[in-house]
Amino acid sequence: MAIAPPSLRPLPKSLFPKYPCFSHGLPFRPSPSLHFSYQPFRFTVRASSAVAVEPDLRSQQNQTVETELFSCPVCYEPLIRKGPPGLNLDAIYRSGFKCKKCNKSYSSKDVYLDLTVTAGLRSYTEVKPVRTELFRSPLVSFLYERGWRQNFNLSGFPGADEEFRMAQEYFKPVEGGTLVDVSCGSGLFSRKFAKSGTYSSVVALDFSENMLRQCNDFIKQDASVSASNIALVRADVSRLPFSSGSIDAVHAGAALHCWPSPSNAFAEISRILRSGGVFVGSTFLRYTSSTPWIIRPFRERVMQSYNYLTEEEIEELCTNSGLTNYSKNVQRSFIMFSAQKP
């Protein structure tokens, strides 16, 4: 697009009261092929080539700067977003994010928005516990919905469709709000939540880069999901990149046992939930109230590699994090629970 030289004086605003795109202060240079006619209360422009107007109104509308739902994982200040509006894959990918307090910038990397504390670092690398690093593997990410997740039914998990139905029941009080699916893996439930149309927006969040890439691949295969308000975000569950009290619903399916610190994660989830917000989670239990006492030490010993919790520990974590109205559904080693932010 041609740009008018600085020496060209802007047109007076009074000449064009009904056409804000020719407002005072914007440089304007007509093409040689333009023909003008001016009549009282009427102004017409006929052109065979483009008009050099900078900036263009459409570009202004599609490149807005706004305070975003996301916050800086370093200082928790709301991020300033520059780019097309909307919480969908395309809009997020074409947007830039910046913290007005610490001046740290964030952008979409690959197919997801990286909002980890280490985002953008080149020399520093950080290795998480084995249970976390395992799911960053391309192979595990590929296999997760191709046999891996299906084996959970051996421990009492009722299956993805029934688990989704159960979660939707718990989430009824927050229908129409924003849902964050933490530790979403390959997006098995994120896609179901987005496709249901129950929520205004869904954030599929995971620490694993490869899980998010796999989630993106699945989304591309389903037009009804790709057209919905779903965003892919890389973040640490112990440092969630959202403002306090900004989220309506948080889901964590079969994830708690993989978290390095469940107590920190519960505290973070409680922090980002608004008053009345709902947290729904599911996981494997270390043992249940019906497990014989003689077997419990053995199960604790063989399950040390993961943070498998008991029913009592999960309820205590919810209470300690300020969550109330705790309820649960237990089937063998499977538990799904719900708690609410007062």
Side-chain angles (χ1 to χ4, degrees), residues 12-148:
K13 183 178 180 180
S14 59
L15 285 180
F16 315 109
K18 293 178 61 180
Y19 298 86
C21 59
F22 298 105
S23 61
H24 180 69
L26 294 180
F28 172 81
R29 183 178 64 187
S31 167
S33 57
L34 282 173
H35 307 284
F36 294 91
S37 65
Y38 179 73
Q39 300 174 3
F41 307 103
R42 185 178 179 186
F43 177 75
T44 60
V45 179
R46 298 191 305 273
S48 59
S49 62
V51 180
V53 179
E54 186 68 35
D56 177 75
L57 272 186
R58 182 174 297 178
S59 132
Q60 282 183 319
Q61 292 171 351
N62 291 337
Q63 297 296 323
T64 57
V65 177
E66 58 185 43
T67 302
E68 184 55 35
L69 168 72
F70 302 118
S71 68
C72 175
V74 176
C75 57
Y76 289 142
E77 282 290 316
L79 295 176
I80 300 300
R81 172 180 176 179
K82 187 173 183 180
L87 194 68
N88 55 70
L89 296 181
D90 184 60
I92 295 295
Y93 181 77
R94 292 162 53 202
S95 295
F97 299 82
K98 191 170 185 177
C99 177
K100 59 184 177 182
K101 185 174 182 180
C102 68
N103 215 35
K104 186 174 173 65
S105 296
Y106 303 90
S107 61
S108 291
K109 184 179 181 181
D110 210 345
V111 296
Y112 55 83
L113 175 62
D114 193 342
L115 292 179
T116 58
V117 173
T118 57
L121 298 184
R122 297 180 179 179
S123 301
Y124 177 78
T125 56
E126 191 169 81
V127 179
K128 295 288 185 179
V130 173
R131 57 180 172 269
T132 301
E133 292 297 316
L134 175 66
F135 292 95
R136 297 178 72 183
S137 159
L139 179 61
V140 174
S141 301
F142 177 81
L143 293 175
Y144 189 74
E145 290 188 41
R146 297 176 173 90
W148 185 294

Side-chain angles (χ1 to χ4, degrees), residues 242-293:
F242 303 98
S243 301
S244 299
S246 62
I247 303 300
D248 301 283
V250 175
H251 176 261
L256 279 65
H257 53 282
C258 297
W259 294 345
S261 175
S263 60
N264 285 345
F266 272 66
E268 270 294 270
I269 289 169
S270 178
R271 179 187 66 80
I272 68 172
L273 280 175
R274 66 163 175 81
S275 178
V278 176
F279 171 36
V280 174
S282 64
T283 188
F284 297 90
L285 291 170
R286 188 160 71 244
Y287 52 76
T288 67
S289 55
S290 61
T291 303
W293 285 95

